Amino acid sequence: MQDTHAGQQTRERILGCAEELFGRKGYDAVSVADIAQACDISTALIYYHYTDKESLLRALIDLASEVFDVHTRAAVEGEGTPRERIERFIAEWLETAGSHGSLLRILVRPLTDPEGPLAGELLARIAYTIEGLASVIAEGIEAGEFAPVDPRLAAESLLGLVNTRAAADVLNVPPRDSRDESVRFVTHLFFSGIAR
Amino acid sequence: MQDTHAGQQTRERILGCAEELFGRKGYDAVSVADIAQACDISTALIYYHYTDKESLLRALIDLASEVFDVHTRAAVEGEGTPRERIERFIAEWLETAGSHGSLLRILVRPLTDPEGPLAGELLARIAYTIEGLASVIAEGIEAGEFAPVDPRLAAESLLGLVNTRAAADVLNVPPRDSRDESVRFVTHLFFSGIAR
DNA sequence: TACAATTGACTGAACGTTCAGTCAGGACCA
DNA sequence: TGGTCCTGACTGAACGTTCAGTCAATTGTA
């Protein structure tokens, strides 16, 4: 296995099918044969390009990190007040969740499956995001922009809130709310709550 | 198979082991043999008391509904203002989540695994809770106690918030926060946000 | 009271199926 | 011709499930 154009292309196709299937049915419920069939190739070819089933998941975790960590880094290092940066984070995270729902579900699975495959790696990725958000919140508290809450608690809640909103597509038979409405709602709830 | 004391006892033991294992590793990752081993019985005995593996999960869903729906009903039909009832809901839900973490994880799994086993039944249970909370929130809006938000959006967020907090035990290496602190935090965040 | 019949509770061994992973070899292109 | 890409056929292990049969206790009968 070396780096030819055709090989690269096949690898991406395999990864794409694995992303879709893992995201929809979950790692355990998807067989290598399922992925091969979705790609219209043989199972052996998957093993030619990837050492085993788990390495497929690992590649997807790397991909998910690439896609989502951008927003975490932007929140931590970006310009603007903490509140502005968190508002941007909410909007960007929800947008990416909309276009990469499978990746997000792969990423957050250990929250409901703490002993699942590669749970350690996945939880580390989540912890990275939470720590980033917590630092932004802590900054906002110090600046007097936020109430003196526990930054970690707030960061976990923010991520939970935004992921809940992303996952709610599953529940809603009608695609009732536009993305913008979700962003506005989460933002308002996180900063101001629903009380009058 | 009829209803003897010994039989009843065995059924409960099987269900207890299944709850613990399904909650920790997930339905797919647990074999019937695993459950049998945990109970120190034969796999055949499980099939003597339950028709198949899925019926075990179904029994656990019924149990989870019994345990958690109490709080939903109390919020919908209970006494006090909408805000008081939601505050009680948060406290009670988190307490039950603390003592029945496995059941809660079984219950919310379809949010990250929308095509998993019995996802339909599970999503229906979740929808029931959300609808109940939404009706309480709508009541609060009508009474002028809450801002005029979308009740469903708010209900989904509330449940997401409270389940995120419950699941955070998984992430936190130290059992940092007491339950009371979690309750206070979620309550404050939901009603007032973190802004100053 | 004694013994036979019946029951519920339970097991060990096996069933067919599906799984992740292997391997020898063919096809295509430089 | 040599290396990359790919396949069909295959394997051992694990899976959910079934089944024939054991055992202790209960019930029916004389």
Side-chain angles (χ1 to χ4, degrees):
Chain A
M1 183 190 101
Q2 204 122 1
D3 216 25
T4 313
H5 179 65
Q8 178 72 20
Q9 217 167 357
T10 305
R11 256 187 307 266
E12 278 169 18
R13 198 146 62 92
I14 293 170
L15 215 56
C17 292
E19 174 185 340
E20 204 271 330
L21 286 171
F22 286 167
R24 232 181 48 213
K25 299 172 186 275
Y27 180 83
D28 282 332
V30 172
S31 69
V32 178
D34 289 337
I35 301 172
Q37 197 170 14
C39 295
D40 201 36
I41 57 173
S42 65
T43 65
L45 183 55
I46 293 179
Y47 284 96
Y48 175 75
H49 286 290
Y50 294 92
T51 60
D52 56 12
K53 189 186 176 187
E54 198 176 88
S55 79
L56 262 175
L57 180 58
R58 216 179 293 268
L60 284 173
I61 296 174
D62 289 343
L63 181 58
S65 294
E66 258 179 54
V67 170
F68 282 97
D69 285 359
V70 173
H71 308 132
T72 308
R73 274 196 299 275
V76 174
E77 305 161 1
E79 294 189 351
T81 66
R83 170 155 187 162
E84 285 167 353
R85 280 181 277 155
I86 288 177
E87 286 182 356
R88 264 208 311 275
F89 174 86
I90 292 171
E92 289 170 358
W93 189 273
L94 279 177
E95 192 188 320
T96 305
S99 56
H100 293 80
S102 293
L103 276 185
L104 182 60
R105 275 195 296 274
I106 291 170
L107 214 47
V108 302
R109 194 169 303 260
L111 295 179
T112 59
D113 193 359
E115 295 195 11
L118 297 183
E121 259 99 318
L122 287 164
L123 288 174
R125 301 313 314 167
I126 297 173
Y128 170 80
T129 304
I130 288 175
E131 278 158 27
L133 292 176
S135 77
V136 178
I137 291 168
E139 201 182 320
I141 294 170
E142 213 158 323
E145 195 179 16
F146 302 148
V149 296
D150 183 329
R152 263 197 76 92
L153 244 52
E156 287 168 8
S157 299
L158 173 56
L159 193 59
L161 219 44
V162 84
N163 284 341
T164 296
R165 197 84 289 285
D169 306 342
V170 178
L171 290 171
N172 299 331
V173 182
R176 185 173 33 77
D177 51 319
S178 75
R179 179 120 56 248
D180 280 357
E181 190 185 339
S182 284
V183 172
R184 268 199 308 276
F185 182 84
V186 172
T187 306
H188 182 268
L189 178 61
F190 184 68
F191 289 117
S192 310
I194 73 159
R196 199 129 213 183
Chain B
M1 181 191 102
Q2 205 125 3
D3 217 24
T4 313
H5 179 65
Q8 178 73 20
Q9 218 167 357
T10 305
R11 260 188 303 271
E12 278 168 18
R13 200 148 60 92
I14 292 171
L15 215 55
C17 293
E19 173 185 340
E20 205 270 329
L21 286 170
F22 286 166
R24 232 180 50 213
K25 300 172 185 275
Y27 179 83
D28 283 331
V30 174
S31 70
V32 177
D34 288 338
I35 301 170
Q37 197 170 14
C39 295
D40 202 35
I41 58 174
S42 64
T43 64
L45 182 55
I46 293 179
Y47 284 94
Y48 176 75
H49 286 291
Y50 294 92
T51 59
D52 56 13
K53 189 187 178 188
E54 198 177 88
S55 79
L56 263 175
L57 181 58
R58 216 180 293 269
L60 285 173
I61 296 174
D62 289 343
L63 181 59
S65 293
E66 258 179 53
V67 171
F68 283 96
D69 285 0
V70 173
H71 307 131
T72 308
R73 275 195 300 275
V76 174
E77 305 160 1
E79 294 188 350
T81 66
R83 169 153 187 162
E84 285 167 353
R85 281 182 276 155
I86 288 177
E87 285 182 357
R88 266 208 310 275
F89 174 85
I90 293 171
E92 290 170 357
W93 189 273
L94 279 177
E95 193 189 320
T96 304
S99 56
H100 294 79
S102 294
L103 276 186
L104 182 60
R105 274 194 297 275
I106 291 171
L107 214 47
V108 302
R109 193 170 303 260
L111 294 179
T112 59
D113 193 359
E115 296 195 10
L118 297 182
E121 260 99 317
L122 288 163
L123 288 174
R125 303 313 314 168
I126 297 173
Y128 170 80
T129 304
I130 288 175
E131 277 158 29
L133 292 176
S135 76
V136 178
I137 292 168
E139 200 182 320
I141 294 170
E142 214 158 324
E145 196 178 14
F146 302 147
V149 296
D150 182 329
R152 264 199 75 92
L153 243 53
E156 286 168 8
S157 299
L158 172 56
L159 193 60
L161 218 44
V162 84
N163 284 341
T164 296
R165 198 86 289 287
D169 306 343
V170 178
L171 289 170
N172 300 331
V173 183
R176 184 174 33 78
D177 51 318
S178 76
R179 179 119 56 247
D180 280 357
E181 191 185 338
S182 284
V183 172
R184 268 199 308 277
F185 183 84
V186 172
T187 305
H188 183 268
L189 179 60
F190 184 69
F191 290 117
S192 309
I194 73 161
R196 197 125 215 188

